[in-house]
Amino acid sequence: MPGRFLAALKKGPILFDGAMGTMLQRLGLKPGGCPDELALTNPGLLNKIHSSYIDAGADVVTTNTFGANRIKLAEYSLETKLSSINVAAARCARAAAGKSLVAGGIGPTGKFVEPVGDLPFDAAVEIFTEQAAALKKGGVDLIIIETMMDIKEMKAAIIGARTTGLPIVATMTFDETLRTVLGTPPESFAIMAAGLDVAAIGANCSLGIEGILKAVTAMASVTDVPLIAQPNAGIPVLRGKETVFPSSPDEMASVVPRLVETGVRVLGGCCGTTPEHIIKMGRVFKSRRPAKKKTPVSFTALSSRTSFTLFGGGLPPIVIGERINPTGKKAMADELKEAKTSVVRNFARQQETSGAHALDVNVGVPGLDEVSAMQRAVFAVNENSKLPIVIDSSSPEAVIAGLKSVDGRPLINSISGEEKKLSAILPIAKDYGAAVLALTLNDKGIPDSAQGRLKAAERILKRAMKAGMSRVDVVFDCLAMTVSAAPASAIETLKAIRLIKERLGCGAVLGVSNISFGLPEREVINANFLSMALAAGLDAAIINPNNKAMMDAYHSSIVLLNKDLRAERYIKRHQATIPITSTREVVAPVAPIGAKSIAEKISAAVIEGDEENIVSLVEAALKEGWQPIKISNDGLIPGLTEVGKLFACNKYYLPQVMLSADTMKKAFSRLKKELTGAKGPRQGKVLLATVEGDIHDIGKNIVATLLENHGFEVIDLGKNVPSDKIVSEAAKNKVDIVGLSALMTTTVMEMDKVIKLLNERGIKAMTIVGGAVVTEEFSKKIGIGKTVYGGDALSAIEKIKNMIKASK
């Protein structure tokens, strides 16, 4: 009964259960095997845990199906039992819950979605659809999607779960920097998920209750969707030979009032929490008066993987960069036909540097396969800019391709009052959670008067809201007509902006440059018209951010309109050395900007993740007589070193690092052909493994990729690897370093076992450890006390390099 959860959410606070894994460990379950299979092999154990949480006061218990998707089950050769496992788990929870609610738990696949990983978006949607259907068949009341790290995988999971018609709760996991492992902040996730109509959004795992409070507070600043908090019982620490979660039920309960004040309507627990935690937290939670209902957001919100943009509702207006458009750009059009994206990537970087807040992406070239071109272009912009994307196409198929490819929440450019456009695009926008840019025209064309454009806007808004969209999901382009042909058109456009703002309460956007067509010194007209439009209430200007006159007009106008607090943006702009061009067409060069020598070009290609051109640059260096070792040392390695610096200062995140690593891999593949059987320079030999009982390997796989691209020989034993096998392989291969990974508190002490076994057998390999529950303190205590703590992926690479240097 899907309505039960939504009704309960409107009525008052909802208390979820706590950790499943912690309780399984408490009841004596040993690591190893597939925990999701317990629904078939030991349902009584699960019933006991569910019942304990019901007795603790939980309104909702969650099925033991966190890893019961096709990919995870295949690791145990159980994929053919997917339906029976999920159905049995749901029925087990239902039997224990009685009249309480059951949430069907869905976790990540363990893979990243393209282009960061190799899992296609459609395949991800299919995987989550399959699991959600089985959970519904078992009788769950809602779906909860938990512990996601990839915003695009979360999007696929929500879309898949929506096919059930059940309410959806969605939570992501953040580290101490309040970002996911792929760099997503809470706000970006919240904006994307809110667009997809989830019932509640929030954070779980990785952080204690104070950290989760920070994450949901950030979400509350950009959405009015109810919030859920599921904190760990603190950050795990090593006590003797046991890793424990230190936060007591009373300590966690003391923070609950602040969660309620933030807007948390749903509360539960993650790793380390027990029925005792749920009892104490629940008493405080249920006794508190819910925070006053938030005023619905009045702004339009867009997001990318790593940032977000808000406009409208009295916020400062934004600039949408218009340069990624092949019209009048032969170099870009030719590249798109060749399935290349160098110009697109350079335009993305240039416009972000010049001050854009979102980027319009248009790949409309006659005779081009626009669907595949849109996917490539969106991937390229995602990888080379942190800005949200505006998907610009008249083709519904290309729009869908863009929506599947984009990381966060985009804006679709455009719909109009034409029936054909409304019926084609509105359902797509709703299905993928996008906002829409609407042109104020109808089946008869563009109305001459402001009143006519308002009527067109009213019709569009009515249809959009009927389709389930909200007022802030629609922004209107009041259309700048050519003033040389229609002298009164500029005045009518400005009137239309005011009317739409006043009568409809929607945001207004405008493509400015058409106003001056056919007139000399067009930038003067354009800049003045932009200032007038901003004064009329314009929320977003589609312009060339590389144009100095336009950006000067924008920044000076928002100061004069009191939209730039203390003129901070204006001052920052004029203090910075931003490369600004004139109004002349500037075609982005194919070679990376600023690169002069071949070594600089190669380094820049690595830094920018230029997979398309790296091989040709390596070829050019070889033709100049460079040896492979010189290409590596003078071009490739300096580039990857710079990527590490950008990552360290939070200018790059893991997707950019992975793209640079893939670029390095292509370069090394070409260089290997020149080595005629020789192995080339070798930094050292590293063995990697996730310890026995632990099936998590995303972090280890990232480290393996980066090590290979730094010239290390890597022996990756995979996950759930027995201690004896790790030790025997280390001896057999005479490795320099053994790297161990663990994500769970139940398996982390396997590291200690491996390291002691290495020492007992006289194997001299150095050791480094990492994983979500591993700390520097822990690394110092285990084994023989000389184990290095890896930290994040790039830190681990640097530490491994230093370990090798110190051993020589």
Side-chain angles (χ1 to χ4, degrees), residues 73 132 281 370 389 585 625 641 718 748:
L73 290 176
M281 293 165 66
E370 192 176 351
I389 285 177
E585 176 72 17
T641 300
V748 72

Side-chain angles (χ1 to χ4, degrees), residues 64-273:
N64 181 49
T65 51
F66 180 76
N69 60 67
R70 187 191 312 165
I71 292 178
K72 285 289 189 180
L73 290 176
E75 296 168 1
Y76 302 96
S77 300
L78 290 172
E79 64 271 27
T80 59
K81 293 186 178 182
L82 182 146
S83 181
S84 59
I85 287 173
N86 281 280
V87 169
R91 290 175 178 170
C92 182
R94 169 62 63 209
K99 294 182 180 180
S100 297
L101 299 174
V102 175
I106 290 179
T109 62
K111 292 183 175 290
F112 293 137
V113 178
E114 291 179 328
V116 177
D118 58 3
L119 181 63
F121 183 81
D122 285 340
V125 172
E126 182 182 316
I127 287 166
F128 292 118
T129 299
E130 180 181 38
Q131 186 183 2
L135 288 167
K136 182 179 182 180
K137 184 179 178 181
V140 302
D141 300 286
L142 65 144
I143 300 292
I144 181 167
I145 303 166
E146 304 176 283
T147 325
M148 288 285 179
M149 296 178 282
D150 180 353
I151 191 173
K152 193 174 285 185
E153 186 181 31
M154 172 61 89
K155 183 188 292 187
I158 294 172
I159 291 173
R162 280 174 61 175
T163 60
T164 64
L166 297 173
I168 297 168
V169 173
T171 63
M172 292 193 81
T173 183
F174 305 90
D175 61 22
E176 292 86 351
T177 68
L178 288 189
R179 288 187 181 267
T180 69
V181 69
L182 294 182
T184 301
E187 297 93 335
S188 289
F189 155 61
I191 289 166
M192 183 277 292
L196 288 166
D197 290 339
V198 297
I201 58 174
N204 79 306
C205 206
S206 294
L207 297 171
I209 196 165
E210 290 281 0
I212 294 293
L213 172 62
K214 292 177 183 177
V216 294
T217 300
M219 294 180 197
S221 69
V222 296
T223 182
D224 50 19
V225 174
L227 299 173
I228 175 172
Q230 291 183 305
N232 285 350
I235 305 300
V237 296
L238 186 65
R239 288 181 181 166
K241 292 188 176 182
E242 185 182 5
T243 305
V244 298
F245 288 88
S247 294
S248 70
D250 286 326
E251 288 170 338
M252 293 186 72
S254 69
V255 184
V256 169
R258 290 155 62 197
L259 287 171
V260 175
E261 290 169 10
T262 301
V264 169
R265 301 287 303 281
V266 186
L267 179 66
C270 203
C271 300
T273 57

Side-chain angles (χ1 to χ4, degrees), residues 24 27 41 76 88 190 201 269 288 313 365 415 490 502 504 520 593 614 671 678 683:
L24 289 171
L27 294 175
T41 61
Y76 302 96
I201 58 174
R288 306 292 294 188
V365 176
I415 60 171
E502 293 168 3
L504 304 185
I593 300 170
I614 188 64
L671 289 178
Q683 294 269 9

Side-chain angles (χ1 to χ4, degrees), residues 440-442 444-454 456 479 481:
T440 52
L441 57 82
N442 52 38
K444 295 181 181 180
I446 302 172
D448 292 329
S449 69
Q451 284 291 343
R453 294 178 201 179
L454 174 63
L479 300 169
M481 307 300 291

Side-chain angles (χ1 to χ4, degrees), residues 255-333:
V255 184
V256 169
R258 290 155 62 197
L259 287 171
V260 175
E261 290 169 10
T262 301
V264 169
R265 301 287 303 281
V266 186
L267 179 66
C270 203
C271 300
T273 57
T274 64
E276 291 78 14
H277 289 86
I278 297 303
I279 290 171
K280 290 289 182 74
M281 293 165 66
R283 285 175 183 166
V284 177
F285 187 51
K286 293 291 184 77
S287 69
R288 306 292 294 188
R289 181 174 294 180
K292 291 182 180 179
K293 191 174 180 180
K294 287 183 60 177
T295 303
V297 297
S298 58
F299 49 77
T300 301
L302 308 177
S303 69
S304 68
R305 182 182 294 276
T306 58
S307 73
F308 59 96
T309 294
L310 312 176
F311 63 100
L315 295 174
I318 67 167
V319 169
I320 298 174
E322 67 180 4
R323 305 304 294 145
I324 304 174
N325 187 319
T327 303
K329 303 183 186 73
K330 186 176 184 303
M332 180 177 172

